[in-house]
Amino acid sequence: RSCVADRSLPPLSDQPSQASIMIAQQQSSPGSPTSKMAASGYISAMKATDIGGGRGAPKPEGIETPMHLTSATDGRVAFEMLDERREGMLDKNQAKSWLRCMGWCLPDEELEQMLTATAMGASGAGASATRSGILKTMQKQERTRWGLKHLTDINDANQDKRNSSLARLQTALRRLSNNRAKISRDRLLQFTTMHEDSLLTEEDFNQVLGAIGLTNNKQLDVETLSLKVLDRICDPPSVAEMVDFMPAA
């Protein structure tokens, strides 16, 4: 997920947050046994409490892994990390990154539609006050910047939206591989990093392959790759784990 970072939760004040994990990791020397054990234990404790509900994106169709690390606290931390100028607002690219931090794995154009959607007014006497409030904040306005509340409302209003699927990703990768069962690592790297709007580097690409256990594979099975990528979106690694995934120089 973007930021390498929802899912009935205990009270928010009792929830370990992504920020707490980052602080704990930074207080120990990177790579030391103590820091790795602490980070691993903390990650496990957090995931044990955040399964089954929350404020993140719905999991992609075809994936059994519950969404993790997208609680309200994690959303706030992600926002603060992206808001580098401390303005309390994010631009469009940053806002799309925030949605990805919350588990959305949709193409840019679909994320932009979520951000700029014109909401239809609530209809019928049964429309809830909560939904009416969400819709009101989204009505016809050309936004170029979004605050945390705007983004949270957008996320909440799209809980019934399909968040991609295993079949959709497999179809896209098969198309890229000319309908073959496997795609070469080099072909995938070229497409991922050379795309005009891509923000990913080869280092990012290598980290992703490391995170899904395919670092040394020259040929990548399309079905396995699709399943592992979406599974990791639902259950992202910690910052310390991402360092371990980097191939040795």
Side-chain angles (χ1 to χ4, degrees), residues 54-217:
R55 306 183 67 171
K59 64 184 181 183
E61 292 180 9
I63 299 298
E64 297 301 322
T65 305
M67 280 289 189
H68 291 285
L69 308 186
T70 56
S71 67
T73 300
D74 291 311
R76 183 168 61 250
V77 170
F79 186 94
E80 291 171 354
M81 290 174 63
L82 290 163
D83 182 19
E84 296 177 349
R85 295 184 178 181
R86 299 294 180 262
E87 297 174 333
M89 302 291 282
L90 302 181
D91 63 25
K92 183 179 289 185
N93 286 332
Q94 292 169 327
K96 287 187 292 185
S97 291
W98 186 89
L99 289 173
R100 291 194 174 103
C101 288
M102 299 307 287
W104 291 99
C105 46
L106 299 171
D108 269 9
E109 55 269 24
E110 292 190 44
L111 293 179
E112 289 181 13
Q113 287 172 8
M114 288 173 62
L115 291 171
T116 60
T118 299
M120 301 301 292
S123 61
S128 70
T130 299
R131 182 157 180 77
S132 295
I134 292 173
L135 291 170
K136 184 176 180 181
T137 64
M138 295 173 62
Q139 282 179 337
K140 294 183 180 180
Q141 44 187 338
E142 285 293 327
R143 286 195 180 277
T144 57
R145 287 153 63 83
W146 291 261
L148 179 57
K149 186 179 185 307
H150 301 140
L151 293 172
T152 301
D153 286 348
I154 289 169
N155 179 73
D156 291 348
N158 282 278
Q159 287 301 300
D160 293 332
K161 183 180 180 66
R162 186 183 184 191
N163 185 26
S164 195
S165 69
L166 179 59
R168 181 179 181 180
L169 180 56
Q170 289 174 344
T171 298
L173 287 173
R174 284 197 191 97
R175 188 181 302 120
L176 189 62
S177 66
N178 294 319
N179 209 31
R180 296 187 177 92
K182 294 186 177 182
I183 183 171
S184 73
R185 180 190 181 282
D186 290 342
R187 169 68 171 147
L188 190 59
L189 172 63
Q190 180 183 32
F191 178 81
T192 303
T193 59
M194 302 301 181
H195 190 273
E196 181 180 355
D197 297 323
S198 177
L199 299 177
L200 297 178
T201 64
E202 185 171 356
E203 181 179 4
D204 297 327
F205 178 82
N206 290 333
Q207 276 195 321
V208 171
L209 289 187
I212 60 178
L214 298 176
T215 302
N216 299 318
N217 294 53

Side-chain angles (χ1 to χ4, degrees), residues 8-20 42 45-46 49-50 55 71-74 76:
S8 339
L9 299 171
L12 186 59
S13 59
D14 297 333
Q15 284 282 63
S17 70
Q18 188 100 339
S20 303
Y42 211 81
M46 183 170 70
T49 59
D50 75 355
R55 306 183 67 171
S71 67
T73 300
D74 291 311
R76 183 168 61 250

